[in-house]
Amino acid sequence: MENIIQTKLAHLTFKSPVFTASGTYGYADEYDDFLDVSEIGAIVTKAISLKPREGNKHTRIIETQAGMINSIGLENLGIEGFLEKKLPVLRAKNIDFIMNIAGSSMEEYALLGEICSQNNIKAIELNVSCPNVKSGCLEFGVSADSLYNLVSKVRENYDGFLIVKLTPNVTSIEELALACKRAGADCISAINTLKGLEVKFELVNGKFRKTKVQGGYSGVGIQPVALSMVNRIRQAVDLPIIGMGGIYTLEDMLKFFAVGADAIQIGTANFTYPDIAKKLQDELREYIIKNNFKDLDDLKNKIRTCFNEQ
Ligand SMILES: Cc1cc2nc3c(=O)[nH]c(=O)nc-3n(C[C@H](O)[C@H](O)[C@H](O)COP(=O)(O)O)c2cc1C
């Protein structure tokens, strides 16, 4: 039977445009009790670094009125651990996945790219919101020049599908998207979390106590920012875009298609609704059939045309 939600991003084909976002889906095995993960478009792994990382010791997650703040500190089992323990499971279960990678220097990213190539990892997503330790902790993803150098270096070493995940914490997202294209990226994903802070106080015997988390803001509250960023990237470059930020419903997903996303990722919503990716994927298919669109591309073209009309 024809798959009407099949999604092509440049030369790579996915069974649907619904992916799960890095850091909110582990390495997929955590979700086995809720759904057959191999049925969703793709999962993006938690960021993987060269060496294992323990992550932050302090409070890592706090809810806000419209989303959450996390400060996980990139806890992960390192590339060797991933190759040994997680990759065989993903492959045995036939799960389509994208590996999210994070380094603290250009050399680390380049080496991770090389290892991914050697292990036939089909697609990687560069998390460029990591501090460049060698350049005084400035994030790689905030300067077009350093992003260009980083992506070029990874491109030299990695021959699979190269996605660069952009941070919204910048002045000109267009310049960064253009730098990615010039450096040979195949696809852009956006957005990573916004910088945020939440603090909650309680009075205990007349004295204040606080719980404070400063880190990445995600969830419903960031959706308008994400839509605006995806739209700006769409106008700047002709690369495929994977959009994300506060997606909880079919309507949210359609908005991302309208502003120029070719696929989407679901992040924070997974914590409340662990089967949401499969649910939204099914709803999308039903919506296309019920409303007599030819397929997903037809739907995307029509909603985009409507969005772009004066
Ligand atoms: C707890 C948590 C951990 C995350 N870890 C990563 C990560 O390791 N790498 C990455 O690129 N993005 C990470 N993100 C960002 C998400 O992948 C996504 O870009 C962001 O949360 C926006 O989407 P959402 O509003 O649907 O959650 C993380 C987000 C959360 C909430």
Side-chain angles (χ1 to χ4, degrees):
M1 208 176 77
E2 191 201 358
N3 176 5
I4 53 169
I5 56 169
Q6 181 169 292
T7 301
K8 219 166 172 250
L9 301 180
H11 59 273
L12 214 58
T13 304
F14 295 88
K15 57 178 92 69
S16 103
V18 182
F19 304 171
T20 56
S22 178
T24 65
Y25 222 69
Y27 305 97
D29 41 349
E30 294 87 335
Y31 283 80
D32 278 348
D33 289 346
F34 302 101
L35 72 161
D36 177 357
V37 180
S38 71
E39 288 184 7
I40 49 184
I43 70 129
V44 184
T45 68
K46 170 72 193 159
I48 294 162
S49 51
L50 207 51
K51 298 274 172 244
R53 288 176 58 113
E54 280 188 3
N56 293 330
K57 294 239 180 316
H58 54 68
T59 309
R60 294 172 166 201
I61 279 184
I62 193 166
E63 277 191 68
T64 72
Q65 282 192 356
M68 62 179 267
I69 311 243
N70 87 82
S71 172
I72 307 290
L74 291 181
E75 177 186 349
N76 77 96
L77 73 183
I79 185 102
E80 276 181 25
F82 174 77
L83 294 175
E84 196 183 308
K85 298 194 184 110
K86 302 294 180 182
L87 183 63
V89 182
L90 289 167
R91 288 199 166 139
K93 290 185 182 161
N94 235 342
I95 293 171
D96 286 323
F97 68 95
I98 295 165
M99 202 168 136
N100 183 282
I101 66 170
S104 55
S105 68
M106 236 174 248
E107 294 73 25
E108 254 185 59
Y109 276 99
L111 188 52
L112 284 162
E114 194 180 328
I115 299 171
C116 290
S117 253
Q118 287 161 354
N119 286 278
N120 294 319
I121 306 284
K122 262 200 305 196
I124 62 174
E125 178 180 69
L126 301 191
N127 175 0
V128 295
S129 307
C130 312
N132 179 354
V133 175
K134 289 198 178 156
S135 311
C137 281
L138 202 71
E139 287 173 24
F140 285 102
V142 299
S143 135
D145 286 346
S146 76
L147 188 59
Y148 172 81
N149 291 335
L150 179 78
V151 178
S152 306
K153 262 245 168 349
V154 176
R155 181 76 288 176
E156 277 171 29
N157 284 8
Y158 175 68
D159 52 18
F161 193 68
L162 178 54
I163 305 164
V164 184
K165 182 168 180 179
L166 294 183
T167 165
N169 304 311
V170 295
T171 317
S172 169
I173 197 124
E174 292 88 344
E175 271 181 35
L176 297 160
L178 284 164
C180 293
K181 171 150 183 170
R182 273 191 291 118
D186 296 303
C187 180
I188 305 277
S189 60
I191 58 174
N192 211 320
T193 50
L194 288 153
K195 284 195 163 75
L197 183 157
E198 172 65 300
V199 59
K200 296 185 198 294
F201 295 101
E202 65 180 318
L203 258 182
V204 182
N205 300 330
K207 275 188 150 184
F208 280 119
R209 277 203 197 141
K210 70 172 185 303
T211 310
K212 176 181 98 176
V213 180
Q214 199 162 359
Y217 177 38
S218 64
V220 279
I222 74 167
Q223 192 185 105
V225 179
L227 287 169
S228 164
M229 292 284 172
V230 169
N231 188 226
R232 286 170 58 184
I233 299 167
R234 179 74 297 149
Q235 286 166 25
V237 293
D238 56 3
L239 289 176
I241 303 172
I242 308 171
M244 79 201 86
I247 298 181
Y248 275 73
T249 64
L250 173 67
E251 196 184 355
D252 296 336
M253 189 172 13
L254 297 183
K255 285 190 250 177
F256 276 84
F257 293 146
V259 297
D262 300 285
I264 57 97
Q265 290 179 17
I266 298 172
T268 302
N270 292 306
F271 297 132
T272 321
Y273 309 106
D275 61 346
I276 188 167
K278 176 71 173 49
K279 183 174 158 276
L280 294 194
Q281 184 175 291
D282 291 344
E283 283 180 17
L284 176 64
R285 194 182 294 105
E286 281 156 28
Y287 184 83
I288 290 172
I289 295 169
K290 196 175 111 207
N291 294 292
N292 297 317
F293 293 107
K294 219 171 107 244
D295 53 22
L296 177 61
D297 287 338
D298 184 33
L299 162 64
K300 279 182 193 158
N301 287 339
K302 287 184 174 137
I303 201 159
R304 250 170 232 176
T305 305
C306 171
F307 176 73
N308 290 322
E309 273 164 10
Q310 294 305 318

